[in-house]
């Protein structure tokens, strides 16, 4: 494994580099839809230094209530010749551009600014916002201050300006309060804007106390395992920055209830640094399969896959099985559930007269026909009406559908869909659509996995974000190893070293690979990604022209549009 150094972006934006604009408004009342702004005051600060101030009266276009004038000292005469809200707003937005807005009870001030933007038909810039009153509720206890009003906090933090309900004075006081609060969260390990915003949100104290579990974790791509006090794995995840991702579980950005429960139980986090993101994804899948953590909902049982095969007998039929056997017949899949496999079988039966009875038929001992033969949906090989050679023609069409050209079957299916639509049998059309999609998805998956399962070794590479090359060694559909060549280095020595050290992988039974279906699918997606180059291959990388993958890409947009149309709903 080669460790990759995290970028500064992974660490977040240091608070010393953030430009804050601390703003305060005075208004004619409490409703932004009915009341107006009378004064805007703001202070721009960065790294503890004041960069500038902004103050303007605003003509609200309505009388100022007497009790507001008594509270703020702002009278109608003071704002009579002041600019209206539109030019005042534009000037403020220019002053605050590119900053983080800060306000005490920010919801009030921001709601008035947004309402003013809407009336002026000006787009709101979507500033990041920090609310000092909300942050104070997390950090200031009742024995320190009687409440969390600006005046009380100004006294606590020794503000140089006394707030008096004038916008600029209150903004100056809020600056001192902000700096006092930042000093407190700094001692708790909050050093970036992202951490500050997360800390200011509501997070249970029990969850916040678990933040120490992220201490010492690497700022590198890889996998992390949450464990309980007995060392049992609770959850496995992956990230481009292990430390940053783990810390997010202890903030308000994590809203999943089961994750909050997991964090309460967790006592440790184990990191596994990976050379590349694909290696991290694959390791995550393998660890989930190994430990089956109770808080991972997906990928816990990759062995629960289903396949559809043509049976090996004089009159083959379709059968749903759990594994690929060494019987030299056609398989499609894997399917995630038996139900989707059954849908694929039903789709084949709708377009081809394959027999559906479960008995093994004899070519020399006929028996009575079933209802499907009477309906013309089967050639009745059971009665001797169809010979082995005649039936072989139907089987050949099934082989072409499962492993090669699916266009003929899809044409038949389209005709059936048109017929059902003309009869306004939309429920039946939805069932037919779902069945055909299950078929083409299963066939597409098999056709894509088949060359991967037959390839003894595939070396592929793509440029990494750090400037070097991500190099993968894939053997029979399994990630046998990965490496990262540094920027400016010749990647070929790394390729040869990877080839020599990669895992020895046994030969599978195609189209099954030597990995779980989900791992092979992840590898296929990586190979299909832009910029990936095949360095060397021991095998043949092909897919049938006119195969199921092209049909799948054509049908899935149709499915999406049909699902959005009343009447075309999936049955069940």
């Amino acid at each position: 494994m080669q460790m990759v150094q995290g970028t500064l972006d992974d660490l977040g934006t240091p608070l010393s580099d953030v430009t804050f604009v601390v703003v305060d408004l005075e208004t004619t009342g409490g409703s932004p839809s009915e009341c107006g702004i009378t004064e805007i005051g703001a202070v721009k600060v960065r790294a503890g230094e004041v960069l500038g101030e902004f103050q303007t009266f605003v003509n609200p276009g309505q009388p100022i209530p007497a009790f507001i004038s008594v509270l703020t000292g702002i009278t109608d005469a003071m704002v009579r010749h002041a600019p209206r809200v539109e030019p005042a707003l534009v000037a403020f937005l220019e002053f605050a551009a590119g900053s983080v807005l800060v306000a005490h009870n920010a919801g009030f001030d921001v709601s008035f600014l947004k309402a003013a933007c809407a009336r002026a038909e000006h787009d709101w810039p979507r500033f990041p916002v920090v609310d000092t009153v909300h942050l104070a509720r997390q950090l200031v206890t009742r024995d320190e201050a009687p409440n969390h009003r600006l005046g009380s906090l100004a006294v606590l933090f020794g503000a140089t300006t006394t707030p008096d309900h004038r916008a600029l004075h209150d903004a100056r006081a809020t600056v001192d309060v902000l700096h006092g609060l930042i000093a407190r969260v700094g001692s708790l390990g909050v050093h970036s804007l992202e951490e500050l915003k997360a800390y200011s949100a509501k997070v249970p104290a029990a969850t916040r106390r678990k933040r120490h579990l992220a201490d010492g974790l690497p700022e590198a791509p890889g996998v992390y395992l949450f464990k309980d006090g007995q060392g049992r794995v609770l959850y496995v995840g992956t990230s481009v920055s292990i430390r940053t991702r783990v810390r997010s579980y202890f903030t308000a950005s994590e809203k999943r209830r089961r994750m909050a429960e997991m964090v309460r139980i967790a006592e440790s986090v184990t990191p596994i640094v990976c050379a590349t993101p694909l290696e991290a994804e694959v390791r995550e899948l393998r660890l989930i399969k190994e430990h089956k953590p109770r808080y991972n909902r997906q990928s816990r049982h990759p062995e629960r896959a289903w396949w559809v095969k043509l049976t090996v007998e004089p009159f083959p039929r379709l059968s749903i099985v759990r594994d690929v056997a060494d019987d030299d017949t056609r398989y499609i899949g894997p399917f995630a559930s038996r139900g989707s496999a059954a849908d694929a079988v039903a789709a084949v039966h709708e377009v081809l007269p394959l027999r559906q009875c479960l008995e093994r038929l004899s070519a020399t001992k006929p028996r009575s026909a079933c209802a499907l033969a009477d309906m013309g949906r089967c050639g009745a090989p059971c009665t001797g009406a169809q010979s082995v050679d005649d039936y072989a023609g139907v089987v050949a069409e099934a082989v072409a559908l499962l492993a090669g050209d699916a266009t003929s079957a899809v044409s038949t299916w389209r005709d059936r869909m048109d017929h059902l639509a003309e009869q306004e049998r939309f429920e039946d059309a939805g069932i037919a659509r779902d069945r055909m999609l299950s078929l083409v998805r299963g066939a597409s998956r098999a056709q894509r996995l088949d060359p991967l399962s037959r390839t003894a070794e595939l070396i592929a590479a793509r440029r990494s974000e750090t400037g070097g090359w991500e190099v993968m060694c894939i053997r029979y559909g399994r990630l046998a190893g990965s490496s990262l060549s540094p920027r400016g280095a010749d990647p070929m020595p790394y390729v040869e070293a990877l080839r020599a050290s990669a895992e020895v992988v046994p030969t599978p039974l195609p189209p099954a690979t030597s990995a779980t279906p989900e791992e092979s699918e992840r590898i296929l997606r990586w190979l299909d990604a832009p910029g990936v180059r095949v360095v060397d291959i021991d095998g043949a990388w092909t897919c049938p022209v006119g195969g199921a993958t092209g049909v799948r890409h054509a049908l899935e947009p149709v499915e999406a549009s049909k699902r959005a149309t009343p009447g075309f709903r999936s049955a069940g």
Side-chain angles (χ1 to χ4, degrees), residues 147-201:
N147 52 56
H148 297 108
R149 294 174 182 171
L150 181 59
S152 300
L153 296 173
V155 172
L156 174 66
F157 291 110
T160 56
T161 303
T162 301
D164 57 1
H165 296 290
R166 288 298 302 274
L168 184 57
H169 295 168
D170 287 7
R172 289 171 177 167
T174 305
V175 168
D176 291 331
V177 170
L178 173 67
H179 289 159
L181 294 171
I182 287 178
R184 289 199 173 192
V185 294
S187 64
L188 299 173
V190 175
H191 303 293
S192 70
L193 174 63
E194 292 75 14
E195 292 171 323
L196 178 65
K197 291 169 61 181
Y199 195 94
S200 66

Side-chain angles (χ1 to χ4, degrees), residues 9 12 23 25 28-29 67 91 116 118 154-155 158 173 224 286 289 338 343 366 382 402 425 469 485 511 555 570:
D9 291 338
V23 62
L25 305 181
T28 61
F67 76 93
V155 172
Y224 52 89
R286 294 178 184 176
K289 177 187 177 184
R338 198 181 196 286
D343 283 345
C382 55
L402 299 182
R425 295 167 58 187
W469 287 91
S485 68
L555 290 184
S570 175

Side-chain angles (χ1 to χ4, degrees), residues 217-218 220-226 233 235-243 246 269-288:
L217 295 180
V223 181
Y224 52 89
L225 296 82
F226 278 90
V233 177
Y235 182 78
V236 178
T238 182
S239 176
V240 296
S241 172
I242 296 174
R243 182 171 181 267
V246 170
V269 179
T270 300
I272 302 175
V273 175
C274 298
T276 63
L278 179 61
E279 181 190 332
E281 290 182 32
V282 169
R283 279 185 175 271
E284 178 190 34
L285 292 174
R286 294 178 184 176
L287 288 167
I288 292 173

Side-chain angles (χ1 to χ4, degrees), residues 31 81 158 197 339 347 351 353 401 495 522 533:
S31 172
H81 301 294
K197 291 169 61 181
V351 296
L401 172 58
V495 170
R522 297 283 181 94
R533 305 182 187 183

Side-chain angles (χ1 to χ4, degrees), residues 2-7 10 218-221 240 273-277 464 466 484:
Q2 179 172 344
M3 188 174 248
V4 180
Q5 181 177 352
T7 65
D10 296 330
E219 289 283 359
V240 296
V273 175
C274 298
T276 63
S464 73
T466 59
L484 184 66

Side-chain angles (χ1 to χ4, degrees), residues 381-400:
C382 55
T383 67
Q386 195 172 30
S387 68
V388 172
D389 291 339
D390 293 337
Y391 190 78
V394 179
V395 174
E397 291 184 67
V399 169

Side-chain angles (χ1 to χ4, degrees), residues 463-536:
R463 286 282 185 187
S464 73
E465 294 182 358
T466 59
W469 287 91
E470 298 175 4
V471 186
M472 307 296 162
C473 179
I474 301 156
R475 292 174 176 170
Y476 297 117
R478 180 179 175 87
L479 184 64
S482 73
S483 181
L484 184 66
S485 68
R487 179 196 295 269
D490 180 0
M492 293 313 297
Y494 291 86
V495 170
E496 294 308 317
L498 174 62
R499 194 198 304 269
S501 61
E503 176 186 358
V504 176
V505 177
T507 305
L509 295 172
T513 67
S514 286
T516 63
E518 193 168 358
E519 176 177 332
S520 296
E521 288 278 359
R522 297 283 181 94
I523 292 170
L524 280 171
R525 283 201 295 271
W526 185 86
L527 290 169
D528 286 342
V532 173
R533 305 182 187 183
V534 174
V535 178
D536 194 16

